[in-house]
Each structure stands twice: as structure tokens, then as C-alpha cells.
Amino acid sequence: MLNIIFFYLSMYRANAQEKISLNKGKIDSMNAINKIQNYNKQVGLKFQLYNSLFTNLPFHRVEKTGILLSTFLLHCEDGFKKNQSPVEIIDSFFKHNTSYDDPQEQIDLLFRFIQYTERQIVLFDAVEEAAFSEIYDLKGVGTLKHLESEVVQSKKQAELAEKLKDFSVRLVLTAHPTQFYPSEVLGIINDLSRAVAQDNTSEVNSLLQQLGKTPFFKKEKPTPYDEAVNLIWFLRHRFYRAAGKIMSEFKSQFPEAVNETNSLIRMGFWPGGDRDGNPFVKVNTTKKVAAELRAGLLKSYYQDVHLLRRRLTFKGVDNVLAQLEEKIHLNLSSPEKHHDLSKDEMISTLKDIRKTLWDKHNGLFSEMVDDLLRKVELFGLYFASLDIRQDSSVHTDLMAEIAKKTSALPDNYAQLSDEEKIEAILNINEVVDPSIFEDELFRDTLETIASVKLIQQQNGEEGCHRYIISHSTSALDVMNVFGLFKLAGWDANDLKVDIVPLFESVEDLKNASQVMNTLYKNEVYRKHLTKRKDIQTIMVGFSDGTKDGGYLMANFGIYKAKEELTKTSKDNDIQVVFFDGRGGPPARGGGRTHQFYASLGSNIASKEIQLTIQGQTISSNFGTEESARFNLEQLMHAGISNDLFYSGQVTQTKEEDDLLLQLSQKSYQAYEDLKNHPAFIEYLNEVSPLKYYGQANIGSRPSKRKPGKLNLDDLRAVPYVGSWSQLKQNLPGYYGVGYALQQMEAEGKWDEICKLYKSSLFFKTLLDNCEMAMCKCFFPLTAYLAKHPVYGDLWTLIHEEFERTKSYMLKLAGASELMDDKPINRVSIQMRQRIELPILTIQQYALNRIREIKEAEGEDANIDVYEKMVVRCSFGIINAGRNSA
């Protein structure tokens, strides 16, 4: 045990003594050193000390496992420095550091290493979460407290009130499969963080022992309903509390500015509504999830009202509260009856109670009433808006089938032009019975559209009011959905639903403005928008855009599409709202999202900030009440301050746009050349754990949209980006950037690039997020592939581009290492990478063994064992990365 403690203390000292090289223009060096020292104290040292408790975990031969793992980590580091392969490293480890000659004993030890490392990562997560308020300034730059001082100093109170009339931040929780922790482990992390924060060593020890006995993998895939229930836990225990406190304090700071009729924070929800490529989401799932959202919120309200009753024991309010509590209870116990409870009634009751408190009881405990009032204003009776999403191809096929089976559409519908089809859709005047379709998908599509009306009756209109169309390519894709609502029994003149096209590919983004202009010019659709307050929501997808066009092209393509869509919408007197489909890592639009929104100027509509929050990002950025509040405030500050203080600033000049366009085109060409490499698909499928995503049982959706041979079009962005992440190559987050910069330098435009880096916050934000992706790379892990007869050329291309991009990044920033101006993030990444190095090595070892067995075309019972090893390693690797997929 002492050996482990001394080993990890030495690791801590090494981190603490790390030389900090900082760019003077970006951050004060002394301040950075203080931050690093504080981080090492609050996170690094505590992790090493608590990690020593792992020797007491109830694992088979755990003490020996812990000691051997420490030796194995050092052996891996030394081996990679010597350019050894994972197979060579593990074989030499067993030969020189153990007495294990039996292959089964060796495999058992590797599995114990995986099991041990998984729990080390959980501990590190818990320690880092516990230290959140000590690491980050919860009242500093980017928070609402900071916004308050900015507004007061600049006397912008009137402008703030105007901005808040219709501004909001909408976070849409999705169930994309990037969360490997089962709910039981998330609960342990929550308790562990609290125990660490309280320095309760005894409690930490007990929880670590519980963790040792708790499985980290699911025997069966979760259902969409399971995913919904797991995320409703975050709504109840994180967002409900954090958003309520934010609004209570914001209202007290700016009582005249906060508009009670406009929810500044809105929650959205996809599990149970998102059926794009997920055959397991049915209409009954959608109804059940909507009911669960309402019930989850009522449980939270019930707890708050019950707490109020314990305090408000005064005449004139106690009986009113008792009646409200009883009504909420009845709604929970008999949800099918709903007992006429409404948002307006709850708000009116709470306001009456507050008035009585001030009139008769000196305002005692009125702040508690205000806190609940803010929550009811935010969440109504729906908690989060359940979005419905389906692929455009499903609607296209369904409309063709309707034309065959009914008289609702012309018999020759399939042969009509897009314009003629739209005209036919506008003339629909009958309702179609879903039961006439043999195809279950067609029945479910129509039944789901009909169910939206029922959900609105139960949860309120906000409970389900958006239908999102994946892979939108034309105006017809939108009008198909408009027609389906008519066919499902909706009144076209009173359609209380926003139809939201989702543009994803590079080509679709280029055409998006033209598509929307066609819709705006359509008299019937324009009339629909008028009834929707002249607001059009448009979704843009970073994930598939990056997979399709590479990092720079996708980001710049979305930026330009937003510019053009803003102009087109404004020309048609429409207020456009952009909904960003983002994943966790920079390769899927993630990274520092608040910095991204702060970088947008007045040439892009910013009425609202809407984005998806998914997988690990939910637990890593919103896993505690403090972190949830901090990150919510950062987004709110970005959206509000951009208008208040930089409204006259255009982020990009024409010259800057031209430079970015040139960079994007060059980067795109490099990325396209790589994708067209003959070994590209095989490399990804055989060298990475891509094919094993489906075996991880972490999400209800298949990893491909369609069965059959693997191709990039059908492959989902999550396993695509996640596989590159587990390879520690993170290709989608930077590939082509270095090549583009090199080409611009060769053309004599380097000075212009340097000027762009200094003047454009948008460009700098792109490169900052690119640095984060590169910081998480570790090419020695796969360097053995450089000599591979099939994959060697491809690996070399990727590695050369990484080194090229890194060189130009450092040159632009005037820095000595990546993320030089983000020392806390850098150290966190480094610590996590060191913890996960053993399982990275084991995973590549297992993948190599699998390839050897298949190439030999012999029978080997161990292939199943190695495949299980790959999957088990994935859990820890993804969790350690925090935003890896």
C-alpha cells in the first residue's frame, strides 16, 4: 500500500512542478501558476491520497493488482518512449514483471487492470466535481454576477430589459450513446463528490467499496424510455434547482428587466421523441415519456410545496398551500384525470400567497415562494419540451404510399415535380387512418403526429410543439411534414407546431437559404408562420457536417449558412432562431460553446441560444448543481452580452470571410483526399473499436442508420468521432487545418492569417477548440501501424497532418505547447490521460490480437475474450475523455 501512495505522490509532485510556459499576451503567468497550484491541491493531491484506498476494494487479489497496475503504467510510458507496440509492451510486462506464464492468468490480470482503472476514473471525476467551486470563480467573468456589474457600470438597464423580452437559452437533452456510466454509478459519483468535498474519508472508503461491487456495464441495451428516465433525473436534481436559483437571483438583481411571460431558460428533450434511425421509439414511447416528464416535474413541485408548508404555518396561507399540495398529489396519483391543474393556476396561487405574506406577515419566507414561482414560470407543467424528430426520407416514402392507398393525393403524385407536389399537399382535405398501412413505420409516423395534440392537452402547448426533419434538402421536405399534420387530423389554420428543418451536409448548408426563401414565399406556409409569431426555427447539425466536410469546412459552412439564413429571414420579415445540434467534443461542435456564442456578431441572429446537450456533456458540464448553474450562466452571459456590448460589431469583414473560405476549401480538399484513401474505411473498422459500439449497450439506437455494408453516409457521427477518440487520433477535430495553413503560408498570406487570428474571435475560437481535440491525441499508441503493409500509409498521413497542424497552431499563438492559455484544462487532460493509458494500451493489444486471429483464419476461443476486452476498455476511455464523442 505504501508503494502505491509513494508512487501517486510522486506523480502529483511531477504535475505540481510542471514548467508552465505561458503567452504573456493571453494570461498573467503568476495567476496561471496559482491556478495550477490550486488545482493540484484541490484535485491532484486529493485524488492520489484517496486513490490509495483502492487497495482495500473488494476485488480478487486487489492489492497485488494495484501494485502491478502502478508498475504497468510506468512500463507503458517507457515502452511508448521506445516506440514499442502495445503487444510488445504487454508481452514484455508479463515476461519481466510477473510470474504469470499461463495465458488465462494474463488475461485475468488485464481484466482486473481494466476494472481497477474504471474506478480510478470515477474517483477522479468525483474529486474534480467536488472541487468545482474551488477551481472556477462562480462570480467571475461570464457569470450573471459579472453581467450585473457590466450592466450597472455601462448603464444598460433599459437595453437589458429590451433584450430579455424574447431572449432565452434552450438546452435540449439528447440520448445519444456517449454516456457509459449506468445510473447506479452516476449516483455513487454524486455521493462520492459530496463526501470528498466534506473530506469525509470514512464515507469515501465506504463508497469506493460500493463502487467495487457495482457493475459498470449493462447486460441489455437501454430502451428509449430507460434513457428518458435517466435524463429526467438530471432535470429534477440539477437543472430544476440550478435554473430556479439563477432566475430568483436574476429577478432580484433586475426586477424590472426580467419578463415573467418569457422563460429565459428552457429545457428540451429528445429521448422518446427522436425516432431518426431508432426503430425502438414508438408512439406509445412518446406518450409515456411525455407523461413521465410531467410526473417528474410534479414530484419536484410537491417537494417544494411540502417544504413551504413546514415554514408557512401562518393564517391565510397554510390552508391555500394545503389545497395546492393536495391537487399536485392527486395529479401524481391519478395522472389520467389531471384534476384541472394548470400553470396559470399555480402562478396565481403563489402570487396570492406572496401578497398575503407581505400584507400580513412581514414578508417572512417570501423568498421561498419566489423561488418556487420562478420554477413554475420556467417549467410550467411540462418540464422540458419533447421534440419529435424523423428523417426526411421516411416522410417522402410515406407520402408516396398515401398517394397509392388513398385519394388524399393524386395517383401520379410520384411523377410530379417538387412544385406540383407542394401544390397537391396544400390541397389535402381528408384525414388518413394510420391502420391502413402495413408498414409499422408509416403507421407510427402518422400516429405520433396525432399524439402531439394529446400531449399538448396534458402538458401544455410547450410540452410538445416542434417537429424536426433530419437531412432536410428542399422546401418539399418541410411541406411533406406540413401535409402529414393535415392528414393526421390537424387544422392547417391552427397548427400549434413549429416545423424545424435540419441542415447537416456541406451541400445542404449551402442550399439552406434558398430552401427557406422558397418556403417563406409560399403563401400557406407564410400564413402558418404568422400564427407562430413570425418565428422560424432552423436546426444546423455540426456532427454530420464535420463527418462530411471536415472541421473547418463544417464550422465555416454553418457560420455562412447562418449569415445567409439571417438575411433571408429578415428580408421576409421573419425572426429566425438557430438550433445547434452539437456533440461533446470540438469535432461535433462542442468544446467551449459559450466562447463560440460570444464570438458571433450582429450579422447572425441571436434571439435565442439553442443547442443539444448529450451524453457525457450532460454529466460532465451539468453533473453538479454548481457546474450546472455555472455553465448555464456562461451561455446566458454570452447571448446577452453579445447584444448589449457588441451589437454594432460584425464578427467577420469581407476580407476575413474570404480568408476563412480559402482555408476551409483547402482543408476540405485535404479531408476529402483522406476519406477517399482506399484503406480509410477498413482502417477505421479494424484498428478502432468502431464495430464494437453496438455491443456496449449504452444507447438504444443502432450505430448505423441502415443495416448492411459500412459506409460513412449511414454511419452515425457518435461512433465515427468516438472511434477516432479512442484511437487517440481525434482526426475529425483538426484534420486539414495544418495543411490549409501551410498552403496559405506558401501563397504569401501568413501575415493575413496572423491578423485574422488576432482580430476574429470566431477564428480563434475554432482554433482553440481544435487545440483541445489535439491535446487529447497520443500517437505513440498506434505508431506501430506506421510499418503496417495496409494501414501504414494512412497512419503516416494522419500523423503528419497532426504534427503539421500542431506546429502551425503553436506558431500562430506564440506558444510552446497546446492549450498554453488554458492551463487548468490542460492539466486536467494530462492527468486523465495518464490514468487511462493502461486501458488504452490493453484495448489496442486486444484489437491487434483479434486481427491476428482473423488473418490466420484459424479457430481461437480467445477471440470472444479479446472482443469483450475491447468493449470493457471503451467504458473507461470514453469516461476519462469527458467529451470524447
Side-chain angles (χ1 to χ4, degrees):
M1 179 172 177
L2 286 176
N3 288 336
I4 293 181
I5 295 175
F6 289 144
F7 167 74
Y8 281 110
L9 281 175
S10 67
M11 175 179 165
Y12 164 69
R13 293 192 194 100
N15 285 324
Q17 294 168 0
E18 179 189 7
K19 182 179 178 181
I20 308 298
S21 176
L22 297 162
N23 184 343
K24 293 181 181 179
K26 296 180 180 178
I27 192 169
D28 177 76
S29 60
M30 285 303 298
N31 185 39
I33 290 171
N34 289 337
K35 286 182 177 180
I36 291 290
Q37 290 176 340
N38 183 53
Y39 182 87
N40 280 325
K41 175 184 176 183
Q42 299 296 335
V43 178
L45 182 57
K46 281 189 177 181
F47 170 71
Q48 316 311 338
L49 294 175
Y50 283 125
N51 190 58
S52 65
L53 295 175
F54 270 107
T55 54
N56 294 317
L57 283 180
F59 293 162
H60 171 61
R61 300 162 71 181
V62 69
E63 185 170 359
K64 191 169 184 179
T65 301
I67 295 170
L68 284 173
L69 179 59
S70 304
T71 305
F72 181 58
L73 171 60
L74 295 173
H75 192 79
C76 290
E77 290 178 324
D78 186 57
F80 286 125
K81 287 177 182 177
K82 295 176 180 177
N83 297 318
Q84 292 179 339
S85 72
V87 171
E88 291 171 331
I89 289 171
I90 289 180
D91 286 348
S92 65
F93 170 75
F94 281 119
K95 181 178 180 180
H96 299 296
N97 297 93
T98 76
S99 58
Y100 297 157
D101 295 324
D102 179 47
Q104 187 57 51
E105 278 192 319
Q106 294 177 354
I107 287 173
D108 288 345
L109 180 62
L110 292 179
F111 273 108
R112 293 207 301 275
F113 282 170
I114 296 168
Q115 189 180 31
Y116 199 101
T117 304
E118 284 174 339
R119 283 141 180 89
Q120 284 184 316
I121 293 165
V122 168
L123 175 60
F124 192 86
D125 284 345
V127 172
E128 202 167 54
E129 284 186 2
F132 190 89
S133 60
E134 300 293 334
I135 299 170
Y136 296 97
D137 186 354
L138 303 187
K139 296 183 179 179
V141 175
T143 64
L144 293 183
K145 195 67 179 176
H146 177 239
L147 178 67
E148 178 187 9
S149 62
E150 289 180 301
V151 169
V152 172
Q153 288 175 12
S154 58
K155 299 180 180 179
K156 295 270 188 177
Q157 288 90 336
E159 289 89 338
L160 176 64
E162 185 64 27
K163 173 67 178 176
L164 298 187
K165 283 182 179 179
D166 58 5
F167 172 76
S168 68
V169 169
R170 184 192 291 246
L171 302 183
V172 180
L173 306 184
T174 79
H176 290 335
T178 57
Q179 178 52 265
F180 280 74
Y181 289 139
S183 57
E184 295 84 0
V185 175
L186 287 172
I188 296 172
I189 293 176
N190 180 62
D191 295 341
L192 194 55
S193 294
R194 185 171 61 248
V196 170
Q198 297 169 350
D199 288 325
N200 189 337
T201 305
S202 176
E203 181 71 7
V204 170
N205 187 47
S206 296
L207 289 166
L208 288 177
Q209 293 201 36
Q210 179 189 354
L211 193 66
K213 289 290 187 180
T214 303
F216 268 52
F217 55 92
K218 303 179 177 77
K219 293 181 179 179
E220 297 178 351
K221 279 182 175 290
T223 66
Y225 179 74
D226 294 333
E227 293 170 330
V229 170
N230 287 338
L231 288 188
I232 289 171
W233 185 93
F234 281 95
L235 283 173
R236 289 194 61 200
H237 298 282
R238 295 296 178 260
F239 292 101
Y240 176 79
R241 297 173 183 176
K245 287 185 178 179
I246 287 173
M247 292 313 304
S248 291
E249 292 190 15
F250 205 33
K251 179 72 174 176
S252 67
Q253 293 168 7
F254 303 105
E256 303 302 320
V258 176
N259 184 350
E260 294 180 1
T261 61
N262 178 51
S263 298
L264 296 181
I265 300 172
R266 302 168 190 255
M267 300 303 301
F269 208 75
W270 275 17
D274 179 16
R275 57 240 309 130
D276 174 19
N278 191 338
F280 308 109
V281 179
K282 310 292 186 183
V283 63
N284 288 336
T285 311
T286 302
K287 293 177 183 177
K288 193 175 177 182
V289 169
E292 193 65 33
L293 282 165
R294 177 185 169 96
L297 179 60
L298 289 176
K299 290 173 185 175
S300 296
Y301 286 160
Y302 186 82
Q303 289 176 345
D304 280 357
V305 171
H306 187 71
L307 182 60
L308 273 176
R309 284 197 66 193
R310 292 174 59 184
R311 296 291 174 265
L312 302 185
T313 53
F314 318 138
K315 185 178 180 181
V317 295
D318 55 346
N319 60 323
V320 179
L321 267 178
Q323 292 171 8
L324 179 60
E325 183 182 45
E326 177 62 17
K327 203 159 196 179
I328 294 174
H329 175 71
L330 286 172
N331 270 261
L332 279 168
S333 58
S334 305
E336 68 282 355
K337 296 180 180 179
H338 292 288
H339 303 283
D340 300 323
L341 183 68
S342 69
K343 172 184 176 180
D344 290 342
E345 178 192 355
M346 288 190 67
I347 289 175
S348 176
T349 301
L350 291 170
K351 284 183 175 179
D352 288 343
I353 290 173
R354 183 178 62 186
K355 185 176 186 303
T356 303
L357 289 177
W358 282 106
D359 289 347
K360 299 182 178 180
H361 305 291
N362 302 315
L364 190 60
F365 299 122
S366 61
E367 71 281 356
M368 292 177 66
V369 178
D370 283 335
D371 182 62
L372 180 54
L373 185 56
R374 299 288 86 81
K375 293 171 182 173
V376 177
E377 289 168 352
L378 288 180
F379 302 117
L381 290 179
Y382 63 93
F383 219 162
S385 296
L386 182 61
D387 289 344
I388 308 297
R389 184 172 78 129
Q390 183 56 282
D391 191 87
S392 61
S393 63
V394 174
H395 308 135
T396 300
D397 294 343
L398 175 53
M399 294 299 275
E401 191 69 12
I402 288 171
K404 290 179 184 178
K405 288 184 173 290
T406 75
S407 59
L409 292 169
D411 293 338
N412 65 337
Y413 180 80
Q415 286 74 47
L416 300 178
S417 66
D418 279 11
E419 293 76 14
E420 291 170 329
K421 286 179 178 177
I422 289 174
E423 187 62 32
I425 288 169
L426 297 178
N427 290 325
I428 290 173
N429 58 11
E430 66 180 88
V431 176
V432 170
D433 183 354
S435 65
I436 68 171
F437 300 105
E438 296 176 4
D439 190 303
E440 185 182 10
L441 179 59
F442 291 162
R443 288 200 308 272
D444 183 78
T445 301
L446 273 181
E447 289 172 351
T448 298
I449 289 173
S451 73
V452 172
K453 189 177 293 185
L454 175 65
I455 295 171
Q456 289 188 356
Q457 291 170 356
Q458 295 173 345
N459 292 13
E461 184 181 324
E462 285 292 303
C464 187
H465 68 101
R466 306 203 305 186
Y467 195 107
I468 299 163
I469 311 164
S470 298
H471 294 105
S472 293
T473 62
S474 66
L476 178 60
D477 286 336
V478 174
M479 295 309 296
N480 276 338
V481 172
F482 185 84
L484 288 171
F485 270 89
K486 294 173 68 177
L487 291 163
W490 286 74
D491 181 354
N493 295 314
D494 189 30
L495 182 54
K496 296 177 180 178
V497 175
D498 299 314
I499 302 175
V500 182
L502 166 53
F503 300 104
E504 299 174 89
S505 71
V506 172
E507 191 63 28
D508 292 343
L509 287 166
K510 287 180 181 177
N511 299 329
S513 180
Q514 182 180 342
V515 169
M516 295 313 301
N517 190 56
T518 300
L519 286 167
Y520 294 152
K521 298 300 183 186
N522 183 287
E523 185 177 338
V524 175
Y525 189 75
R526 184 64 181 80
K527 183 178 178 182
H528 164 66
L529 288 181
T530 299
K531 291 183 177 294
R532 302 303 293 166
K533 300 180 181 179
D534 291 322
I535 297 172
Q536 172 68 56
T537 302
I538 298 173
M539 187 174 181
V540 290
F542 282 79
S543 299
D544 282 289
T546 306
K547 177 167 69 78
D548 178 50
Y551 183 73
L552 277 184
M553 178 58 81
N555 279 277
F556 185 62
I558 287 173
Y559 180 88
K560 292 306 293 181
K562 283 185 173 182
E563 271 192 337
E564 293 168 7
L565 286 165
T566 299
K567 184 179 184 303
T568 297
S569 301
K570 188 175 182 181
D571 290 344
N572 286 277
D573 297 320
I574 296 295
Q575 174 65 65
V576 66
V577 172
F578 292 115
F579 174 24
D580 294 318
R582 294 173 173 273
R588 296 186 57 228
R592 287 175 284 276
T593 51
H594 59 275
Q595 184 176 322
F596 172 84
Y597 285 111
S599 73
L600 302 179
S602 58
N603 50 343
I604 291 178
S606 58
K607 178 180 181 292
E608 297 181 22
I609 288 178
Q610 295 191 12
L611 70 157
T612 53
I613 306 292
Q614 54 191 259
Q616 296 161 291
T617 313
I618 298 173
S619 55
S620 61
N621 288 1
F622 303 91
T624 66
E625 192 175 317
E626 290 79 14
S627 62
R629 179 172 175 177
F630 180 80
N631 285 295
L632 272 170
E633 288 192 13
Q634 291 285 316
L635 286 169
M636 292 177 71
H637 183 279
I640 294 170
S641 63
N642 211 13
D643 262 12
L644 259 59
F645 307 111
Y646 311 107
S647 58
Q649 172 183 324
V650 177
T651 306
Q652 302 292 137
T653 65
K654 185 180 183 307
E655 291 75 17
E656 290 170 336
D657 269 359
D658 289 343
L659 272 177
L660 267 172
L661 177 60
Q662 292 176 58
L663 282 166
S664 299
Q665 289 172 337
K666 296 177 189 300
S667 174
Y668 176 67
Q669 188 56 58
Y671 182 67
E672 278 290 292
D673 290 344
L674 185 78
K675 285 200 302 180
N676 291 328
H677 190 284
F680 186 79
I681 294 293
E682 183 183 343
Y683 179 91
L684 187 60
N685 205 34
E686 298 297 329
V687 176
S688 84
L690 174 65
K691 66 174 68 172
Y692 301 103
Y693 258 80
Q695 298 179 23
N697 290 335
I698 55 170
S700 66
R701 293 200 311 179
S703 59
K704 294 191 297 180
R705 286 187 169 88
K706 300 175 183 177
K709 187 177 179 181
L710 178 67
N711 64 77
L712 286 184
D713 289 337
D714 291 333
L715 179 62
R716 291 194 176 278
V718 169
Y720 177 74
V721 173
S723 296
W724 289 113
S725 173
Q726 290 190 61
L727 274 177
K728 289 300 163 182
Q729 293 179 3
N730 282 340
L731 177 148
Y734 65 83
Y735 197 91
V737 176
Y739 174 82
L741 291 171
Q742 184 184 60
Q743 293 297 305
M744 296 295 278
E745 183 182 43
E747 294 174 13
K749 297 179 180 179
W750 182 250
D751 288 344
E752 296 174 57
I753 297 296
C754 291
K755 183 180 178 182
L756 178 68
Y757 182 77
K758 292 177 181 177
S759 64
S760 169
L761 183 56
F762 174 73
F763 183 52
K764 184 175 186 308
T765 299
L766 286 187
L767 296 194
D768 280 355
N769 281 337
C770 191
E771 282 190 56
M772 181 191 293
M774 297 178 71
C775 244
K776 295 184 178 182
C777 291
F778 183 65
F779 275 88
L781 178 69
T782 51
Y784 70 97
L785 293 169
K787 299 177 182 178
H788 193 280
V790 178
Y791 309 134
D793 179 55
L794 188 64
W795 185 91
T796 301
L797 281 174
I798 298 168
H799 181 241
E800 286 177 349
E801 178 59 13
F802 171 82
E803 292 295 339
R804 183 184 298 115
T805 304
K806 178 180 177 181
S807 173
Y808 277 99
M809 288 286 196
L810 297 178
K811 185 176 179 180
L812 262 181
S816 60
E817 58 184 316
L818 296 171
M819 294 184 72
D820 215 9
D821 59 342
K822 304 288 188 302
I824 293 294
N825 299 109
R826 191 181 75 245
V827 171
S828 176
I829 290 170
Q830 289 170 345
M831 286 187 175
R832 289 177 176 277
Q833 285 181 322
R834 194 157 196 260
I835 295 169
E836 69 176 336
L837 186 59
I839 54 176
L840 287 169
T841 309
I842 293 170
Q843 186 182 67
Q844 273 301 306
Y845 167 82
L847 285 166
N848 204 301
R849 291 299 192 207
I850 292 168
R851 290 197 300 273
E852 289 176 354
I853 293 170
K854 288 182 176 179
E855 287 168 6
E857 295 183 349
E859 298 214 357
D860 191 326
N862 278 337
I863 193 167
D864 292 338
V865 174
Y866 289 129
E867 287 181 335
K868 181 181 177 182
M869 192 177 287
V870 171
V871 174
R872 287 295 305 276
C873 287
S874 289
F875 299 162
I877 295 169
I878 290 291
N879 286 331
R882 297 296 264 178
N883 65 350
S884 304

